[in-house]
Amino acid sequence: DTEVTQTPKHLVMGMTNKKSLKCEQHMGHRAMYWYKQKAKKPPELMFVYSYEKLSINESVPSRFSPECPNSSLLNLHLHALQPEDSALYLCASSRRAREEETQYFGPGTRLLVL
Amino acid sequence: AQRVTQPEKLLSVFKGAPVELKCNYSYSGSPELFWYVQYSRQRLQLLLRHISRESIKGFTADLNKGETSFHLKKPFAQEEDSAMYYCALNSGFQKLVFGTGTRLLVSP
């Protein structure tokens, strides 16, 4: 398996809902990432996990809560989101969290907050 | 601060014409630079990286540290090259910083 998979593909949620995004890879990568991509904008880094530990949080609001239960799985828990949080959420992975490593991206979850 | 600049939002060329997508970066150290491509309705994928010095799908990119540039070039554009191209810099803090992207449109 040489891909990063993400579920669901689409998600619509209200501002009071709690939902989770899931990301999975079976390439043996030990670094995983969450990015947010607004329409017609580049991806922006949110979180980095290295060896299942959170190593970077780019000052993301606490309504976004990442979790890395094991080396293959990365979750993003969502609670009390705002309409401006509507975006494409991308997951990526790399062999290690090092600058020369290529990051492999999933197809994304398109989130709409009503 | 690390920054990547792609000055062109849209680049429109005819099939068979040469293509150059510009990328300039701002970083005080030795950067790791990448070109990512996103075809319509597909995921973001790596096109090439400066460290490997490869030519992928006819594209090449040379790192010019003096001009802090990493321009992407192809001598003869094909219609299937139409896509969004992002230049990205990994500064060593596990952070990939993307430029704003250039949409390449190759017309027949």
Side-chain angles (χ1 to χ4, degrees):
Chain A
D1 191 344
T2 57
E3 281 194 344
V4 176
T5 59
Q6 290 187 245
T7 54
K9 286 186 179 179
H10 299 94
L11 179 62
V12 181
M13 61 186 290
M15 289 189 283
T16 58
N17 291 158
K18 282 186 182 181
K19 297 286 185 183
S20 296
L21 310 185
K22 179 180 170 181
C23 173
E24 206 160 356
Q25 58 85 17
H26 296 286
M27 296 180 278
H29 290 177
R30 302 309 298 272
M32 296 186 77
Y33 311 78
W34 280 115
Y35 288 83
K36 175 180 178 179
Q37 186 175 23
K38 300 282 276 184
K40 300 190 180 184
K41 298 286 186 183
E44 292 182 347
L45 183 68
M46 299 174 72
F47 303 103
V48 179
Y49 272 83
S50 178
Y51 290 91
E52 296 90 71
K53 288 188 175 13
L54 182 65
S55 60
I56 292 183
N57 176 341
E58 286 287 283
S59 302
V60 178
S62 59
R63 57 186 184 268
F64 295 91
S65 175
E67 179 198 18
C68 190
N70 59 58
S71 60
S72 300
L73 192 54
L74 184 67
N75 298 319
L76 186 63
H77 303 298
L78 314 173
H79 174 54
L81 294 194
Q82 304 296 310
E84 59 264 29
D85 296 322
S86 298
L88 182 67
Y89 288 85
L90 298 171
C91 174
S93 71
S94 63
R95 284 194 311 167
R96 302 291 183 266
R98 294 177 61 83
E99 59 268 23
E100 69 270 19
E101 296 288 348
T102 298
Q103 293 186 23
Y104 296 87
F105 286 81
T109 293
R110 194 163 296 281
L111 174 67
L112 178 61
V113 182
L114 300 176
Chain B
Q2 305 88 15
R3 195 164 67 188
V4 177
T5 303
Q6 293 180 253
E8 302 136 331
K9 281 190 176 180
L10 173 67
L11 186 61
S12 187
V13 302
F14 288 105
K15 177 182 171 182
V19 168
E20 182 179 48
L21 286 79
K22 296 192 188 316
C23 171
N24 287 90
Y25 65 91
S26 172
Y27 179 57
S28 55
S30 287
E32 296 292 337
L33 287 155
F34 305 80
W35 276 100
Y36 279 84
V37 60
Q38 192 164 30
Y39 300 102
S40 179
R41 301 180 192 279
Q42 293 188 28
R43 70 182 67 198
L44 196 61
Q45 57 187 283
L46 179 72
L47 181 62
L48 54 79
R49 33 186 267 184
H50 96 269
I51 196 171
S52 57
R53 295 181 159 269
E54 294 172 297
S55 172
I56 305 292
K57 299 186 179 183
F59 285 98
T60 58
D62 289 317
L63 176 61
N64 185 324
K65 290 187 178 180
E67 295 183 358
T68 59
S69 69
F70 189 55
H71 303 328
L72 184 68
K73 298 178 184 179
K74 185 169 182 177
F76 307 104
Q78 303 299 314
E79 288 181 68
E80 55 265 29
D81 296 328
S82 295
M84 191 73 174
Y85 291 80
Y86 290 102
C87 182
L89 177 154
N90 195 324
S91 62
F93 296 100
Q94 305 173 33
K95 293 172 60 171
L96 197 59
V97 176
F98 287 88
T100 49
T102 297
R103 182 166 296 283
L104 176 64
L105 183 59
V106 183
S107 304

